């Protein structure tokens, strides 16, 4: 069975665009061995059309609630925004179960490095919002080793180990609005 056949009914027909006001693209990484540190990207796009899902985030839009750290994350130590202004994703396979759970695979590009990722999540049934627009929700997660993408800055933790874990959870909570025909 081809990818197109196995994912034909993944989403209702039509083109769906992420509503940036009601969506979130974020990450979590363990910091200092004691907690999950979170950040997000405020400028991103995502489009869903049948079984095709693509998206990108502007590195310059990273937000970790600290301007100095936002700036450091854009340097070559981390995302190198000047040479690699976007992070991108393209699904290569999406499967939807009867209960709305989602499994799939895709290609993630960070800092010019593209690697395969596995996805899991949930998709909601279509609903109509108060303004008459059709909406669906798609929540996806994956975990990556940031060092495989060249995001390898770290510092020794005085209590042992490093300040930043290598494993990073990526989370996309996407509210899609159906494009008008």
């Amino acid at each position: 069975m081809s990818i197109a056949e196995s994912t034909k009914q993944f989403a209702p027909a039509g083109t769906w665009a992420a509503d940036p006001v009601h969506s979130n693209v974020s990450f979590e990484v363990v910091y200092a061995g004691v907690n999950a540190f979170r950040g997000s990207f405020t400028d991103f796009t995502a489009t869903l059309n049948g079984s095709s899902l693509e998206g990108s985030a502007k590195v310059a839009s990273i937000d970790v609630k600290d301007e100095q750290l936002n700036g450091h994350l854009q340097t070559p130590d981390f995302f190198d925004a000047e040479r690699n202004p976007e992070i991108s994703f393209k699904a290569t396979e999406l499967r939807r179960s009867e209960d709305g759970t989602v499994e799939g695979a895709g290609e993630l590009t960070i800092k010019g490095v593209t690697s395969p990722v596995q996805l899991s999540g949930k998709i909601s049934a279509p609903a109509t919002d108060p303004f008459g627009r059709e909406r669906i929700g798609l929540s996806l997660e994956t975990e990556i080793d940031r060092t495989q993408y060249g995001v390898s800055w770290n510092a020794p933790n005085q209590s042992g180990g490093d300040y930043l874990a290598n494993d990073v959870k990526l989370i996309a909570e996407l509210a899609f609005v159906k494009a008008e025909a």
Side-chain angles (χ1 to χ4, degrees), residues 10 22 25 35 60 69 83 92-93 128-129 150 162:
F10 181 78
H22 297 99
V25 174
N35 71 307
L69 183 52
R83 285 185 272 186
T92 56
E93 181 178 14
T128 303
D129 71 16
D162 290 325

Side-chain angles (χ1 to χ4, degrees), residues 4 35 48 56 59 62 68-69 103 107 109 140 152 180:
N35 71 307
L48 178 63
S56 65
V59 172
I62 198 164
Q68 185 175 356
L69 183 52
E103 298 292 329
E107 293 180 341
T109 302
L140 295 172
S152 53
E180 294 184 21

Side-chain angles (χ1 to χ4, degrees), residues 69-148:
L69 183 52
N70 286 343
H72 188 204
L73 289 170
Q74 294 181 47
T75 70
D77 284 346
F78 287 94
F79 294 105
D80 198 1
E82 187 173 318
R83 285 185 272 186
N84 302 284
E86 285 190 344
I87 295 169
S88 63
F89 172 80
K90 182 175 182 175
T92 56
E93 181 178 14
L94 293 170
R95 296 176 308 280
R96 175 185 187 163
S97 298
E98 291 286 326
D99 65 357
T101 57
V102 172
E103 298 292 329
E107 293 180 341
L108 178 67
T109 302
I110 300 174
K111 212 172 174 178
V113 176
T114 302
S115 292
V117 294
Q118 296 299 308
L119 306 166
S120 62
K122 193 156 184 81
I123 189 169
S124 68
T128 303
D129 71 16
F131 306 102
R133 297 175 296 200
E134 278 190 86
R135 292 180 170 269
I136 55 174
L138 179 61
S139 300
L140 295 172
E141 291 186 0
T142 191
E143 193 165 295
I144 64 166
D145 178 343
R146 66 187 177 87
T147 63
Q148 291 182 336

Side-chain angles (χ1 to χ4, degrees), residues 13-18 47-49 133-135 176-181:
T15 299
W16 302 79
T47 303
L48 178 63
N49 189 341
R133 297 175 296 200
E134 278 190 86
R135 292 180 170 269
F176 285 98
V177 177
K178 188 172 187 177
E180 294 184 21

